[in-house]
Amino acid sequence: RVFDVTGEEAPASATFHGRDLFAPVAAALATGTSPTRLGVPATDPVRLDPLRPERAEDGALRGRVLHVDRFGNCVTPFTRAELPEGAAFRLAAGGAEVRTLRRFYAEGEGEEVFAIWGSAGFLELSALRDSAARRLGLRAGDELTLAREGE
């Protein structure tokens, strides 16, 4: 069940809900407080598309851009489990296909958009000294398709 806990019981900053809202709610729930004492049942919760990639009938994985960082790198939902070491791939994004995996950002060449494993373990789309998001016209939530060659 989903509850709306946006009541006026405690002042909350406009920017740090983890400290001001979520932590007190989590503490109350952990000590046995009923969710009905913290808020009212939500009657129309918003269902978001899944963050995990989903397998299509053709074997490809479909996902969405999870985040675009301040450098314009596009974080995808794809992990090493979906793209084993050395596997040839094609990642369709923004009307283009990316087929190159680089180990370091500095390995990028010219104006290419390439893939790289980000520090959080997700495949990212990047460009050397430029914004991959701008080059591909991508924003968070845009669709991606990852297919291993031969699939």
Side-chain angles (χ1 to χ4, degrees):
R1 295 184 358 201
V2 177
F3 288 83
D4 181 351
V5 294
T6 57
E8 304 294 325
E9 296 79 28
S13 75
T15 59
F16 201 47
H17 287 77
R19 176 196 65 202
D20 298 335
L21 179 63
F22 301 137
V25 168
L29 292 171
T31 59
T33 301
S34 169
T36 58
R37 295 196 54 204
L38 301 173
V40 296
T43 57
D44 60 347
V46 175
R47 293 194 181 269
L48 302 176
D49 290 330
L51 296 179
R52 290 191 198 120
E54 295 181 327
R55 183 127 351 241
E57 288 183 24
D58 64 1
L61 289 169
R62 304 222 192 285
R64 297 186 177 278
V65 175
L66 300 178
H67 172 68
V68 176
D69 70 16
R70 66 187 179 111
F71 301 106
N73 298 310
C74 301
V75 180
T76 77
F78 309 119
T79 66
R80 292 178 194 265
E82 288 96 25
L83 187 62
E85 186 78 29
F89 69 95
R90 64 185 182 284
L91 200 161
E97 279 195 355
V98 175
R99 295 173 180 257
T100 305
L101 180 64
R102 301 287 184 196
R103 290 181 53 216
F104 309 105
Y105 293 107
E107 288 181 339
E109 297 178 358
E111 295 188 12
E112 78 171 336
V113 174
F114 55 92
I116 191 168
W117 291 111
S119 60
F122 294 105
L123 195 64
E124 296 182 10
L125 297 173
S126 302
L128 182 64
R129 295 184 200 94
D130 200 0
S131 167
R134 184 186 55 75
R135 285 197 182 165
L136 297 175
L138 293 176
R139 298 181 321 200
D142 286 348
E143 292 184 16
L144 306 166
T145 301
L146 176 67
R148 295 201 332 223
E149 289 297 329
E151 288 186 352

